[in-house]
Amino acid sequence: MRKSPSLQPLKPEPLPRRGTMARVFVYGTLKKGQPNYKYMINTTKGIAKYQGRGRTVEKYPLVIAGKYNIPYMLNIPGTGHHIAGEIYTVDDQMLRFLDEFEGCPDMYQRTTMRIEVVEWEGKRGTAEVRPASSGVMECFVYNTSTYQPEWVQLPYHDNYDSSGTHGLSYVLRENRD
């Protein structure tokens, strides 16, 4: 595994104040229409409210790697593409579930990134939920600085779809050996 030199310790970002909603940007299997979206709408895991679509302000490499064809955003800012995804507001319970689901902090690390809002469906609400007038907001994102060195050589994507033309369908956890 390679560790990006730009990152400090692999601790998750702190949870938001109890009772507040955190913004999370998802770019892979948790998006609508993707294999793990079911967890985003499973209220026993917590609350996740779809707010809109966005893309990373900085460029990052998004690769599909490993024998299970898992999408990874490598924490190498300035390389790759502006990554497309979805913005959600989530409660504390869902954020804790996502940390566990994403193998945080070992497999993925939850960091804060600037996300440009492309389309906003969220209802007008508190300032912590609404996008800034610039159309850019801070969101938690699960990316990785612990990756195999050869992943940097894989094709970079700007928008993940498990059924995409890349031919690398994601393998559900329940179907893995």
Side-chain angles (χ1 to χ4, degrees):
M1 294 290 202
R2 178 173 183 253
K3 183 174 179 187
S4 170
S6 64
L7 275 189
Q8 298 302 317
L10 299 177
K11 295 188 304 189
E13 297 265 343
L15 290 169
R17 291 185 328 273
R18 188 156 182 76
T20 63
M21 301 288 275
R23 289 187 295 246
V24 176
F25 176 77
V26 298
Y27 57 85
T29 66
L30 291 167
K31 293 189 310 183
K32 289 181 180 183
Q34 297 304 308
N36 290 320
Y37 175 66
K38 61 189 173 194
Y39 297 112
M40 297 301 284
I41 57 174
N42 182 343
T43 55
T44 64
K45 307 289 185 199
I47 297 169
K49 295 179 183 173
Y50 176 80
Q51 299 295 322
R53 294 183 306 111
R55 67 185 199 136
T56 59
V57 170
E58 285 197 74
K59 293 179 178 181
Y60 290 90
L62 173 59
V63 300
I64 302 170
K67 67 180 184 175
Y68 303 124
N69 299 323
I70 298 171
Y72 293 94
M73 182 190 300
L74 307 183
N75 196 333
I76 310 173
T79 302
H81 303 287
H82 299 282
I83 308 302
E86 298 173 348
I87 302 164
Y88 289 83
T89 51
V90 301
D91 66 1
D92 298 345
Q93 182 183 348
M94 178 59 80
L95 193 59
R96 284 191 300 274
F97 166 77
L98 290 172
D99 280 352
E100 183 180 321
F101 181 80
E102 299 288 14
C104 186
D106 301 320
M107 187 162 142
Y108 290 94
Q109 295 78 52
R110 177 169 41 90
T111 60
T112 304
M113 284 186 190
R114 293 177 348 114
I115 303 300
E116 176 188 357
V117 176
V118 174
E119 178 181 280
W120 190 253
E121 291 186 13
K123 294 181 174 59
R124 297 204 180 273
T126 63
E128 68 187 29
V129 175
R130 281 193 317 262
S133 59
S134 66
V136 174
M137 58 176 28
E138 297 274 323
C139 296
F140 286 129
V141 179
Y142 293 91
N143 59 24
T144 188
S145 60
T146 53
Y147 51 85
Q148 301 294 325
E150 61 271 16
W151 291 4
V152 176
Q153 305 306 316
L154 293 171
Y156 296 167
H157 304 273
D158 62 354
N159 193 359
Y160 175 79
D161 183 343
S162 181
S163 309
T165 56
H166 49 69
L168 301 170
S169 295
Y170 175 79
V171 178
L172 291 168
R173 291 175 184 206
E174 55 266 27
N175 297 337
R176 298 177 187 173
D177 45 22

